[in-house]
Amino acid sequence: MTSKRPTFTDKEALDFHSHPTPGKLSVTPTKPMATQRDLSLAYSPGVAVPVKAIAADKDLAYEYTSKGNMVAVISNGTAILGLGDLGAMASKPVMEGKSVLFKRFADVDSVDVEVFSNDTEELITTIRNIGETWGGINLEDIASPECFIIESRLREELDIPVFHDDQHGTAIIAAAGLINACNITGRELQDVKVAISGAGAAGLSCAGLIRHLGVRPENILMCDSRGVVYEGRTEKMDQFKSAFAVKTEKRTLTEAMDGADVFLGLSIAGAVTKEMVASMAPNPIIFAMANPDPEITPEEIKQVRDDAIIATGRSDYPNQVNNVLGFPYIFRGALDVRARSINEEMKVAAAQALAELAREDVPDEVAAAYHGSRPQFGRDYIIPTPFDPRLISFVPPFVAQAAIDTGVARKEIPDMDEYRRSLARRLDPTASFVQSVQAAVREKKARIVFAEGEEPSVVRAAFSFKNQGLGEPVLIGREEQVTRTMQQMGVPEGSLEIVNARLSDRNPEYTDYLYDRLKRQGFLRRDAQRLVNQDRNVFGSCMLKFGDADGMITGVTRNYDVALKDVQTVLDPIPGRQVIGMSMVINRGKTIFIADTSITELPVAEDLVGIACESASSVKALGFTPRVAFVSYSTFGNPMGERAEKVREAVAMLDARDDIDFEYEGDISVDVAMNPGHKLVYPFSRLTDAANVLVMPAIHSAAIATKILTSMSRATVIGPILLGFEKPVQIASLGATVNDIVNLATFAAFDIDMLGHIPAAK
């Protein structure tokens, strides 16, 4: 099987972890440090007050420190990913990554701790002595069977949640999938017969959790490298495997799978054959979760069974068993009730929550992740996608309630509905937008033109675009020069398609079209021929016009206006639409859109109306609910001024129309528009929440705003995204980074179905 997994060079991976700052974490203060008074409150003498309070009652650390939202990710590096025992320091990049996921998906602060010891007792002592510093501990990449002993002892000796994710994370997600797979196939958990390949941390935890869910112990056949774990076996046994030993005559995985309803694979690639799959019961449930490659591929399963429900650990197949669906939200719920532990009931609650969420109608953000195809609960959708924005508000309440019900919570949640709403506010779902766009375009395999194909950054971007599975890049340039650049960049020769505009056999048709288009504008046929032969933007645009490619990215070597003029030579706006540039600003989990940032320099009222309609339509197509603010230096006429008048006129023009289906308001200043509580001062405002689409009065104000955000905050600015052309084209800025180029190329690919067919704004 040809792997579909995103790939990258070693240099790209090292660059990612080293630039612009080494590592993936930093510390951001939550209190101001601008004055002497701030310093006095934060440190001395003000800090003495909470110190004394905590000395009298240590639980007050939850009130006066970050303990209540802080998790330690701890490892000794004895079982790093699939790489084995490489030592504590080698585990640090992985532990940092885990901390990033905690923050990204559940707004849980986290710090990585690497312990330089392989001695079980020493490791337990070290973690116990520092453990109460945090609200919870996530153990990671610790070898089996030591991980069982360490977790068990720490759970007994510490008064905070201790959770070994390698064991329980996979088990929780797999259990959720199993609940739904049984639902689809009409099975009851207590009746299913399960074969498990792999008796390590994850395998044993899966067996334990599904047993807790109701699967009968005698129906679970655990297999390791020596075969079935049965009563009386002595070879390669320990206390943890013995807990799953059953009376059976079966001795091999092949025998265990014969007639089994369920297979859970947590072992190695190739452990299962097609013959084993063929021997399973009707409608088999097969979770082949070995990473990076499953025990048996879905393609091989489908060759012998067309009735199987299949899950893997891979993102390029349906039903990915992904731990990121579990640990962030389990800790979120546990921390919010100040839980003393994470017990079996809380894990079951998480699994049931995930199973229930997969059965719900999916929101627009999930549909966007599937490129407009809305997944429905069924054989290919039994586990929620990590892009589902509801996870943060859906799963933690189940976990928190289970903690309260089982008596391990220090804190009650009096209003669970308000708790759900507060969780939804913690993380704006748009923070996952870029990833969901990427997930969407991987399904399309769009053919994207990289017009400046001889440039090193463009070659690297095209190679990255292809290796991430985002589409098929086409480099326009001279073969010799492009090949030379590829060699310099370490890009394998022959890995990218190259098209030489001058030598293309499509030139006659392109020239005919362009001459017919331009002949009444003073162009001779030879002028049209020269443009097709020599101007790569013109040639690339012709490729789009004739359907020889699906989208284009350019602009790295030319000013934006020059590149735009080249494109306009060939392509027209969509009828009834206005071409605009819209910048997307993502910062701390929130996304806003700013328009127009690149096309109309000094828009009049009619232009502002078109910009608003184009922006709102596109933002809606991208999965968001547009709330448009026509921003100005004034707010509702205060102060009055000539320059604000065109903004007020644009709003009046929208007021006079009856076909507007989005919220809008203006004239309004930015600080008021983006304040969700502005209706307290202006109760007549038509915006139901903070604005997320800012229509600027001119290009210079739009450009200044986006550049300030880029320079002075951690905001990620994507764009300007070009909208309104009949074919998807994106124009990068001069000297754009590889990541910028890849992002815009991704939008060009995404544009094909999502943005190119939006109903025209009237």
Side-chain angles (χ1 to χ4, degrees), residues 283-324:
N283 291 304
I285 299 166
I286 302 172
F287 289 10
M289 298 176 284
N291 269 320
D293 297 305
E295 287 81 0
I296 183 169
T297 67
E299 290 87 349
E300 292 170 317
I301 294 170
K302 290 174 182 178
Q303 288 173 10
V304 293
R305 300 299 294 259
D306 60 4
D307 59 344
I309 294 180
I310 306 167
T312 71
R314 294 267 293 265
S315 62
D316 49 352
Y317 293 118
N319 299 326
Q320 183 191 16
V321 179
N322 189 333
N323 282 19
V324 80

Side-chain angles (χ1 to χ4, degrees), residues 423-556:
L423 288 169
R425 292 192 296 268
R426 289 192 84 109
L427 283 182
D428 191 304
T430 57
S432 62
F433 182 72
V434 174
Q435 295 98 318
S436 51
V437 170
Q438 290 176 339
V441 302
R442 288 189 179 101
E443 301 295 322
K444 301 302 295 181
K445 300 300 180 188
R447 184 172 161 86
I448 301 300
V449 172
F450 288 71
E452 298 145 310
E454 297 178 0
E455 292 299 307
S457 61
V458 174
V459 170
R460 286 183 60 199
F463 186 59
S464 177
F465 184 82
K466 182 174 183 177
N467 278 348
Q468 291 183 56
L470 299 171
E472 295 299 325
V474 179
L475 295 171
I476 298 181
R478 296 163 294 178
E479 292 87 344
E480 300 83 359
Q481 182 59 46
V482 176
T483 301
R484 190 178 307 117
T485 303
M486 290 172 66
Q487 292 171 344
Q488 293 171 352
M489 296 294 103
V491 175
E493 188 173 348
S495 60
L496 299 174
E497 181 181 351
I498 305 169
V499 173
N500 188 326
R502 181 179 292 276
L503 303 179
S504 171
D505 58 7
R506 301 290 281 153
N507 276 13
E509 287 182 83
Y510 293 172
T511 300
D512 288 344
Y513 164 76
L514 198 60
Y515 175 57
D516 188 60
R517 179 179 173 86
L518 300 177
K519 61 188 178 184
R520 292 189 177 276
Q521 298 177 35
F523 281 73
L524 301 176
R525 183 177 181 81
R526 63 172 179 263
D527 298 324
Q529 179 72 68
R530 176 179 50 79
L531 285 173
V532 170
N533 283 348
Q534 299 180 12
D535 193 304
R536 293 167 190 174
N537 288 336
V538 170
F539 183 86
S541 298
C542 287
M543 290 183 70
L544 302 190
K545 185 69 177 181
F546 280 76
D548 297 330
D550 302 307
M552 185 173 82
I553 173 73
T554 186
V556 177

Side-chain angles (χ1 to χ4, degrees), residues 2-23:
T2 302
S3 174
K4 300 178 183 178
R5 284 180 286 123
T7 58
F8 40 79
T9 65
D10 289 353
K11 184 177 186 304
E12 285 176 313
L14 293 174
D15 285 348
F16 177 85
H17 286 84
S18 61
H19 299 296
T21 302

Side-chain angles (χ1 to χ4, degrees), residues 46-99:
V47 76
V49 179
V51 166
K52 292 175 182 177
I54 294 169
D57 180 359
K58 70 173 187 177
D59 280 353
L60 288 176
Y62 286 100
E63 300 289 343
Y64 302 131
T65 76
S66 61
K67 175 183 172 78
N69 195 51
M70 181 71 73
V71 167
V73 179
I74 300 180
S75 180
N76 66 349
T78 51
I80 304 174
L81 299 175
L83 303 174
D85 184 356
L86 298 181
M89 188 56 73
S91 74
K92 188 171 178 66
V94 184
M95 300 309 111
E96 280 191 353
K98 194 82 174 198
S99 294

Side-chain angles (χ1 to χ4, degrees), residues 637-711:
N638 183 22
M640 293 294 286
E642 180 182 349
R643 293 184 179 274
E645 190 56 39
K646 66 177 181 181
V647 176
R648 297 169 64 82
E649 184 181 346
V651 173
M653 292 173 69
L654 284 182
D655 290 342
R657 291 171 51 167
D658 58 6
D659 61 340
I660 301 302
D661 60 353
F662 57 87
E663 294 180 18
Y664 63 92
E665 191 55 276
D667 58 333
I668 188 168
S669 64
V670 171
D671 57 327
V672 175
M674 298 188 67
N675 180 358
H678 76 274
K679 286 178 75 73
L680 295 173
V681 180
Y682 303 100
F684 53 85
S685 173
R686 289 172 286 200
L687 298 180
T688 58
D689 203 343
N692 59 359
V693 181
L694 306 181
V695 175
M696 294 293 190
I699 279 184
H700 59 268
S701 53
I704 291 169
T706 52
K707 289 185 181 349
I708 288 175
L709 286 168
T710 306
S711 302

Side-chain angles (χ1 to χ4, degrees), residues 186-249:
R187 292 181 168 100
E188 297 294 333
L189 282 168
Q190 63 264 27
D191 298 328
V192 297
K193 296 178 180 179
V194 182
I196 300 178
S197 175
L204 291 169
S205 186
C206 279
L209 189 58
I210 64 172
R211 192 165 66 181
H212 200 86
L213 279 166
V215 179
R216 293 191 181 98
E218 63 270 22
N219 284 350
I220 301 173
L221 294 183
M222 175 76 66
C223 302
D224 63 7
S225 59
R226 298 295 189 271
V228 175
V229 175
Y230 59 90
E231 284 188 6
R233 187 181 124 174
T234 58
E235 184 184 11
K236 204 176 179 183
M237 291 291 288
D238 55 44
Q239 67 190 83
F240 306 105
K241 290 181 188 176
S242 296
F244 296 95
V246 296
K247 289 182 180 180
T248 179
E249 297 299 318

